[in-house]
Amino acid sequence: MRQSLVSGQKPFAVVLACVDSRVPPELVFDQGLGDLMTVRSAGTVLDEAVLGSVAYGALELGIPLIMVLGHESCGAVSAAVRAEQTGDQLPAHIQYLADQIRPAIDHVQHGDARIDSTITRNVGMVRKRLAAERDLADRVAAGKLAIVGARYELHSQRVHAIT
Ligand SMILES: [Zn+2]
């Protein structure tokens, strides 16, 4: 298997996942070497490096599926929700993460429900931003790419789609 991958890779999906140690996409989906191109950032936050990495998979390698994978009990989303409530500045570059997640915060819900709802909304927001990237949108329109959102539940170890 390893030898067959020396000459090249043809992964079937790009998975943009959180950095959380409990949610490695290869293990969540029981995939092996060469199957998934994984891009990971806390809270699946987009920046130029993340966008470039996702674009590399979809445009240069021609991977036909991008999945944004959020998860239950996401610390990055929790921190963003709490930072907005307290007004505290988070240390170092962590504030950048909170700033990116903030537009997804669900102000209808409160407490843990707000965090949980924001996790789902954040997946939707990131998925929409990717779908709005012109080069990616062109491939979607041509039927060559799908961009989907999903959530992994720590309690059940199940992944379900987010529309
Ligand atoms: Zn997380």
Side-chain angles (χ1 to χ4, degrees), residues 61-135:
L61 296 183
I63 298 171
L65 175 64
I66 298 171
M67 172 182 278
V68 181
L69 181 65
H71 68 96
E72 182 185 1
S73 302
C74 182
V77 171
S78 299
V81 169
R82 280 198 300 269
E84 189 200 50
Q85 284 166 352
T86 63
D88 291 343
Q89 189 79 8
L90 296 167
H93 300 281
I94 303 173
Q95 185 62 44
Y96 175 82
L97 301 173
D99 290 342
Q100 298 302 305
I101 294 167
R102 180 170 297 138
I105 292 177
D106 182 352
H107 292 107
V108 175
Q109 307 284 341
H110 297 279
D112 289 346
R114 173 175 293 181
I115 292 169
D116 198 66
S117 172
T118 299
I119 287 167
T120 301
R121 288 164 53 101
N122 184 57
V123 168
M125 182 179 74
V126 171
R127 193 197 69 76
K128 277 199 191 115
R129 284 184 181 168
L130 288 173
E133 289 286 311
R134 180 183 292 176
D135 291 330

Side-chain angles (χ1 to χ4, degrees), residues 136-145:
L136 298 180
D138 287 348
R139 287 190 76 84
V140 170
K144 294 178 177 172
L145 175 67

Side-chain angles (χ1 to χ4, degrees), residues 42-64:
T44 64
V45 162
L46 299 174
D47 66 7
E48 283 298 305
V50 170
L51 283 166
S53 300
V54 170
Y56 175 74
L59 305 178
E60 298 297 322
L61 296 183
I63 298 171

